[in-house]
């Protein structure tokens, strides 16, 4: 018996009464050969559901195992192969496939047992013998590694725990080695089995920063993607102990603890992925219970006195990442509901905290913003009105509890909480504003003589001003108050906030030039003052952030945009502030840049509809003259010269909840505007824009991901992708580009994606395999039928490059499809570029798969005319491609060669062969030489 590998599903003679099972199996086999592994999997699954015999079941299960191996889902491949072996213990193919899956999962000891069984069943099978030798070598290497690390681990811990070695270089090196060892799963397992968690606990107990950091980073390796080791670690260290490290004053230690907790959460949620499992892999745990214990401790930490502000921020960041569902398609939001019931008040307590008064919680400038984001995520994760009503009720009860009966301090906390909600789930904040006395207290406290009271009230007024329900009320009651504060207050912190409130109200018309809220010139004066404060580095970053907030609103006005991009010092200050610890400024910076580049969505109104609206005396939005494309292009160039790409690259790297999906979308919009002009793309790439676009294209809102993907496509089309995306990054670009092929994207996005994928497909086989793995081929084939000639041509060019892959060649060679026919017909089209792409694909395919040559005459009766037209083309490139196709056909079959030589092709080739030395003449001469060899023609007296 011969085994062809982990793939190759095998046919079996049909048994009476099993025609539908047999039919589905055959269908699955055909799909497998064509590379449609998921389709094959579906067919085999359907066949299993039709009451197949035990023998049929064994075959279907091992065929499913072959599909899972191709799809790189090795756990499922192992499961399916095991089911086949249960039906037939001597099924050598199933044993072989299971051994391959086990090897990929790192379970070499089990894989070798299956291979030994295969060899015993078929001693002469060379495939099995070679596989057994390979895996034996891997096991020996692993044993050597594990035995050598035993002594190393023990030695490292001895050095680290030796009081005599305090602060030495030896100790530092030992801690680094321990962390490096833990990054490899085998090393992490060795540390774990060597009583490592207890020893790491002793390192944590020392309190020495370097040792604590080394212990935390080693624990990250131990827990990474390993559920049972994570549970064991929490059991030894204690959940409370691990979470408490988050609250220490040392920022580096707090961040390391945050990373460890994130890894623990991922391990509990996802389970073991690496597949290397020791005895602990058999421990049965309830991940949901462990998750809730960890989250409960994080919620407790939020309101503990003595916890550092950084630690509180890290706890909020973890809750933002862990609690809400990753996708609305997941029906289970029970964790969100549980957190709302158990911890909403604690989150509101952080959001409503007033910075720095004695006895209050320690918070940073980012704490309240993080609380707002968490509240927004929780609210967005609710599925029905009853759940949302419960959220409203809990928030309103909390605000009332502080507003009534706690004096002025309670009112301040209540107002601060309303501000937090307005920045997060604004619907909830709007309802809170409706509570009796809240808005009146805000207005009254704006006139307070105490700065901290004024700050809280003015900020609440600013956040309320952007909400539709309150905008008219504040315009009527708040503008005069804000103007008064701006003119008379002696404190910059109050004046700058009052100015932002005025900016917000002044920008209510958005980009509509006809909707001006203030008198002519007032907006420019406000913007000038904002830029002045922004450039004043004597003012703290938290206060200067409000100047950027003001500009984010005022830059709706094109005059303000023009002055802003001309002010180099203001742009420099803006970019410096975006890199500072004041992370809450990111959204405002991104908003201002979107406005300056006009990268918001804008549709040119239909002139007929405008005339109709004017006739009906309806308001018609007007575009500012300085928002025309020429002005926008000039602004983009000034921003590029000022270093906007470097600043945005730093913003994308921010590991903070403040970099929300909405903020990511704004950055994606700006990047797309920056790469619009071909001559600007080199600057964007040189400043790191290419690598920054990849994370934006992979995470965020649908719109943001699409905009970033389109920017990636533009860069890939006009630059060398290997230079733009060096190393492994180039493979990360493929998925965003393929996403642009979906039907919900515009024709331009489809076209640019196809062009970019064409470039990538021409670089290497590994990139072509990545494109195939992302299931792009069916979509590309679909666009080959597109009516728009440029999209059709781009799809054909892309397919031409992909045809260098064996899998694509198999698709063309498979029976019962029109792929080859389409290429032949396109080679005869009027569009020269389309002909060039199709002829290139034909030349490639007929060279790689000679069997296709005999099918060309069968696909269309016009095949000879099309080949003759290629050979007679005035384009030497088309001539060459046509000559190569003819040469391949002549070499493939004497019969086809005879047909060609009996036609006008012989005369054309004779003329071409006498031309000036070129690839065309050489190919034509080779055709004639082969015809002579077949004795279809004879050379003349001159030997020609």
């Amino acid at each position: 018996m011969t085994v062809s590998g982990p793939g190759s599903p095998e046919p079996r003679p049909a048994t009476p009464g099993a025609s539908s099972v047999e039919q589905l199996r055959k269908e699955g086999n055909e799909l497998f050969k064509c590379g449609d592994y998921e389709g094959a999997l579906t067919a085999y699954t359907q066949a299993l559901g039709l009451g197949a015999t035990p023998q049929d079941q064994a075959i279907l299960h091992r065929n499913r195992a072959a599909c899972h191996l191709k799809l790189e889902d090795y756990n499922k491949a192992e499961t399916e192969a095991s089911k086949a072996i249960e039906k037939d213990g001597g099924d050598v193919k199933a044993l072989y496939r299971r051994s391959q899956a086990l090897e990929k999962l790192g379970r070499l000891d089990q894989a070798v047992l299956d291979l030994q069984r295969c060899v015993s069943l078929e001693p002469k099978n060379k495939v099995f013998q070679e596989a057994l030798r390979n895996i034996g070598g891997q096991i020996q290497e692993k044993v050597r590694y594990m035995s050598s690390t035993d002594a190393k681990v023990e030695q490292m811990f001895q050095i680290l725990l030796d009081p005599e070695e305090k602060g030495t270089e030896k100790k530092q090196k030992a801690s680094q080695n321990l962390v490096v060892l833990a990054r490899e799963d085998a090393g992490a397992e060795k540390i774990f089995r060597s009583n490592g968690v207890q020893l790491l606990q002793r390192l944590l107990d020392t309190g020495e920063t370097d040792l604590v950091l080394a212990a935390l980073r080693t624990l990250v390796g131990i827990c990474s993607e390993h559920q049972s080791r994570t549970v064991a670690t929490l059991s030894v260290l204690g959940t409370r102990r691990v979470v408490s490290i988050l609250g220490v004053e040392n920022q580096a230690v707090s961040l390391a603890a945050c990373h460890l907790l994130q890894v623990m959460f991922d391990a509990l949620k996802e389970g073991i992925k690496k597949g290397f499992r020791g005895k602990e892999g058999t421990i049965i745990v309830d991940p949901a219970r462990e998750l809730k214990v960890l989250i409960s401790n994080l919620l407790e930490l939020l309101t503990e006195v003595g916890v550092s502000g950084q630690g509180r921020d890290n706890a909020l960041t973890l809750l933002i990442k862990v609690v809400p569902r990753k996708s609305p398609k997941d029906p289970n939001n029970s964790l969100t509901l549980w957190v709302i019931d158990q911890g909403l008040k604690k989150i509101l307590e952080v959001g409503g905290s007033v910075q720095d008064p004695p006895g209050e919680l320690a918070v940073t400038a980012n704490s309240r913003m993080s609380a707002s984001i968490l509240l927004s995520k929780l609210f967005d994760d609710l599925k029905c009105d009853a759940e949302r009503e419960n959220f409203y009720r809990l928030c309103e009860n909390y605000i009332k509890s502080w507003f009534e009966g706690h004096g002025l301090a309670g009112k301040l906390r209540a107002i601060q909480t309303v501000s937090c909600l307005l920045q997060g789930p604004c619907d909830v904040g709007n309802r809170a504003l409706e509570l009796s006395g809240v808005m009146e207290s805000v207005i009254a406290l704006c006139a307070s003589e105490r700065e901290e009271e004024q700050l809280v009230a003015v900020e609440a007024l600013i956040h309320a001003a952007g909400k539709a329900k309150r905008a008219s009320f504040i315009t009527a009651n708040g503008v005069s108050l804000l103007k008064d504060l701006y003119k008379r207050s002696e404190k910059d912190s109050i004046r700058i906030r009052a100015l932002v409130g005025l900016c917000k109200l002044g920008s209510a018309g958005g980009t509509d030039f006809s909707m001006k809220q203030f008198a002519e010139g007032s907006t420019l004066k406000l913007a000038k003052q904002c830029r002045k404060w922004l450039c004043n580095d004597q003012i703290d970053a938290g206060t200067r952030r409000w100047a950027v907030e003001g500009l984010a609103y005022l830059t709706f006005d094109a005059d303000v945009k023009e002055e802003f991009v001309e002010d180099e010092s203001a742009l420099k200050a803006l970019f410096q502030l975006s890199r500072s610890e004041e992370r809450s400024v990111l959204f405002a910076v991104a908003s201002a840049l979107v406005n300056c580049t006009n990268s918001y969505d804008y549709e040119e109104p239909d002139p007929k509809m405008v005339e109709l609206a004017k006739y009906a005396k309806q308001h018609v939005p007007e575009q500012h003259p300085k928002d025309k494309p020429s002005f926008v292009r000039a602004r983009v160039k000034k921003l590029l010269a000022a270093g906007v790409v470097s600043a945005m690259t730093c913003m994308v790297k921010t590991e903070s909840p403040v970099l929300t999906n909405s903020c990511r979308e704004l950055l994606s919009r700006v990047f797309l505007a920056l790469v619009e002009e071909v001559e600007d793309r080199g600057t964007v790439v040189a400043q790191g824009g290419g690598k920054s676009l990849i994370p934006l294209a992979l995470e965020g809102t649908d719109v943001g991901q699409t905009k970033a993907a389109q920017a990636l496509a533009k860069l890939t089309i006009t630059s060398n992708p290997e230079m733009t995306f060096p190393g492994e990054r180039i493979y990360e670009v493929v998925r965003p580009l393929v996403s642009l092929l979906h039907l919900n994207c515009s024709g331009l996005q489809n076209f640019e994606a196809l062009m970019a994928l064409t470039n990538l497909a021409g670089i290497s086989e590994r990139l072509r395999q990545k494109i195939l793995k992302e299931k792009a081929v069916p979509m590309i084939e679909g666009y080959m039928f597109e009516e728009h000639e440029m999209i059709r041509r781009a799809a054909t060019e892309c397919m031409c490059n992909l045809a260098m892959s064996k899998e694509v060649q198999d698709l063309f060679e498979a029976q019962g499809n029109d792929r080859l026919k389409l290429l032949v017909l396109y080679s005869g089209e009027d569009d020269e570029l389309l002909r060039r792409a199709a002829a290139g694909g034909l030349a490639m395919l007929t060279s790689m798969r000679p069997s296709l040559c005999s099918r060309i005459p069968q696909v269309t009766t016009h095949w000879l005319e099309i080949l003759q037209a290629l050979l007679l083309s005035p384009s030497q490139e088309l001539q060459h491609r046509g000559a190569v196709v003819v040469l391949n056909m002549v070499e493939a079959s004497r019969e086809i060669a005879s047909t060609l030589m009996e036609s006008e092709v012989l005369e054309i080739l004779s003329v071409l062969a006498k031309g000036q030395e070129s690839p065309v003449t050489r190919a034509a001469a080779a055709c004639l030489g082969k015809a002579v060899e077949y004795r279809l023609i004879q050379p003349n007296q001159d030997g020609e």
Side-chain angles (χ1 to χ4, degrees), residues 734-803:
V734 174
R735 181 171 296 170
L737 294 180
V738 173
S739 72
L740 293 178
L741 297 179
H742 291 117
L743 294 174
N744 57 343
C745 294
S746 68
L748 176 62
Q749 290 166 342
N750 299 152
F751 172 72
E752 290 179 332
L754 289 164
M755 293 284 285
L757 288 168
T758 302
N759 277 1
L760 293 179
I763 292 173
S764 71
E765 179 59 25
R766 188 179 166 195
L767 271 168
R768 288 191 286 276
Q769 289 298 322
K770 178 68 175 170
I771 294 169
L772 294 174
K773 192 175 178 181
E774 294 295 334
K775 300 174 184 171
V777 171
M779 291 186 277
I780 295 168
E781 285 185 323
Y783 286 115
M784 288 176 72
F785 294 94
E786 178 67 38
E787 287 184 17
H788 196 291
E789 62 178 22
M790 292 177 71
I791 295 177
R792 186 169 66 244
R793 181 196 309 151
T796 307
E797 288 173 349
C798 191
M799 188 58 70
C800 174
N801 281 358
L802 286 172

Side-chain angles (χ1 to χ4, degrees), residues 318-594:
L318 283 168
L319 289 167
I320 289 166
K321 289 180 178 178
V322 170
V323 177
R325 292 171 294 168
K326 296 292 183 189
S327 166
K329 293 178 183 177
D330 178 2
N332 185 9
N333 69 340
S334 59
L335 196 56
T336 294
L337 298 176
W338 182 81
V339 168
I340 289 170
D341 288 337
Q342 300 294 316
L344 184 61
K345 289 182 180 178
K346 293 180 173 66
I347 301 165
L348 290 170
E349 194 169 334
V350 178
S353 59
V354 183
Q355 208 166 347
D356 293 334
E360 286 285 345
L361 300 177
V363 292
T364 69
N366 299 317
S367 300
R368 288 194 296 274
M369 179 61 77
S370 295
S372 293
I373 292 166
L374 176 55
L375 289 165
S376 181
K377 294 266 187 186
L378 293 174
F379 186 74
D380 290 344
D381 205 36
L382 300 178
K383 296 192 294 185
C384 63
D385 289 342
E387 292 174 358
R388 284 184 277 274
E389 196 58 42
N390 179 56
F391 194 98
Y392 289 133
R393 181 179 54 78
L394 289 171
C395 291
E396 289 172 10
N397 289 344
Y398 178 84
I399 292 165
K400 283 179 186 175
S401 70
W402 279 103
F403 197 76
E404 299 163 1
H406 286 84
L408 186 57
K411 283 185 169 56
L412 282 174
R413 178 175 279 278
I415 292 169
Q416 187 76 286
T417 306
V418 172
S419 283
C420 176
L421 289 167
L422 285 167
Q423 288 178 278
C426 58
D427 288 344
V428 186
N430 269 325
R431 281 205 17 182
L433 281 174
E434 304 291 333
L435 293 172
S436 176
V438 172
M439 201 67 209
E440 291 75 11
S441 296
V442 170
I443 298 292
L445 285 170
C446 282
S448 171
E449 294 181 1
R450 297 181 60 189
E451 183 179 2
E452 60 269 22
E453 294 171 6
Q454 273 191 315
L455 285 174
V456 171
V458 172
E459 285 185 22
L461 196 62
I462 292 166
H463 297 312
K467 313 306 168 190
K469 289 183 180 178
R470 282 289 167 182
S472 57
F473 173 84
I474 294 165
T475 303
N477 299 278
V479 171
S480 58
L481 178 61
L482 290 169
K483 283 183 178 177
D484 191 54
L485 284 171
Y486 174 59
K487 290 177 181 176
R488 298 187 184 182
S489 178
E490 296 177 1
K491 300 179 180 68
D492 279 346
S493 59
I494 300 297
R495 293 185 68 221
I496 200 167
R497 284 165 172 79
L499 181 134
V500 171
L502 291 170
C503 294
K504 202 167 187 179
L505 293 168
S507 65
T511 58
D512 186 353
F513 182 49
S514 63
M515 293 276 287
K516 291 295 170 187
Q517 302 293 311
F518 294 147
E520 190 69 35
S522 296
T523 307
L524 285 172
K525 287 178 184 176
L526 291 174
K528 187 176 181 181
Q529 185 59 53
C530 280
R531 297 203 309 274
K532 182 179 175 183
W533 270 319
L534 175 61
C535 296
N536 186 352
D537 53 15
Q538 300 301 309
I539 301 174
D540 67 278
T543 303
R544 288 165 67 208
R545 188 257 293 188
W546 287 96
V548 185
E549 292 273 358
L551 287 167
Y553 292 110
L554 293 174
T555 46
F556 279 120
D557 187 303
D559 289 317
V560 173
K561 300 178 199 182
E562 287 295 315
E563 285 196 2
F564 186 36
V565 297
E566 292 289 348
D567 190 338
E568 291 182 15
S569 57
L571 289 176
K572 185 178 177 183
L574 180 78
F575 299 153
Q576 283 178 342
L577 194 60
S578 71
R579 296 184 176 99
S580 71
E581 292 298 314
E582 184 62 42
R583 312 315 294 163
S584 53
V585 77
L586 295 183
F587 191 85
V589 172
S591 299
L593 292 173
V594 165

Side-chain angles (χ1 to χ4, degrees), residues 570-696:
L571 289 176
K572 185 178 177 183
L574 180 78
F575 299 153
Q576 283 178 342
L577 194 60
S578 71
R579 296 184 176 99
S580 71
E581 292 298 314
E582 184 62 42
R583 312 315 294 163
S584 53
V585 77
L586 295 183
F587 191 85
V589 172
S591 299
L593 292 173
V594 165
N595 291 339
C596 288
T597 57
N598 281 35
S599 46
Y600 39 71
D601 290 327
Y602 174 78
E603 286 187 20
E604 198 71 41
D606 185 338
K608 291 181 180 178
M609 295 303 293
V610 170
E611 289 301 317
L612 191 61
K614 285 179 180 177
Y615 178 75
K617 297 183 178 177
Q618 295 292 317
H619 172 70
V620 180
E622 294 178 22
Q623 188 183 37
H624 196 292
K626 292 181 180 176
D627 271 334
K628 291 193 178 348
S630 58
F631 284 92
V632 176
R633 283 196 293 272
R635 289 200 293 267
V636 165
K637 292 193 182 300
K638 285 169 186 171
L639 286 170
L640 285 168
V644 66
V645 177
S646 298
M648 288 172 64
T649 300
C650 291
M651 291 166 72
V652 172
K653 290 178 183 174
T654 301
E655 291 186 10
S656 166
V658 175
L659 189 66
T660 59
N661 286 342
S662 298
C663 189
R664 286 171 170 274
E665 181 184 318
L666 296 179
L667 292 172
S668 298
R669 288 176 178 276
V670 178
F671 267 122
L672 184 56
L674 296 177
V675 300
E676 190 62 40
E677 297 295 318
V678 174
E679 62 266 26
D680 294 332
R681 293 174 192 174
T683 305
V684 173
V685 171
Q687 294 182 14
K691 61 184 178 185
S692 298
L693 277 165
I694 294 172
L696 292 175

Side-chain angles (χ1 to χ4, degrees), residues 223-227 230-231 234 239 242-243 246 257-271 287-299 314-315 317-323 326 335 338-339:
C223 298
S224 183
E225 297 182 352
H226 206 299
Q227 192 180 79
T230 299
V231 173
L234 287 170
T239 306
V242 178
V243 173
L246 202 63
C258 183
H259 185 206
L260 172 60
L261 285 164
Q262 179 68 61
V263 164
M264 287 178 159
F265 275 122
D266 290 343
L268 290 172
K269 277 193 159 187
E270 304 298 333
R289 180 186 168 279
E290 296 295 332
L291 273 172
K292 284 187 176 180
V293 170
L294 264 178
I295 291 170
S296 179
N297 278 278
L298 282 176
L299 292 170
N314 287 335
T317 301
L318 283 168
L319 289 167
I320 289 166
K321 289 180 178 178
V322 170
V323 177
K326 296 292 183 189
L335 196 56
W338 182 81
V339 168

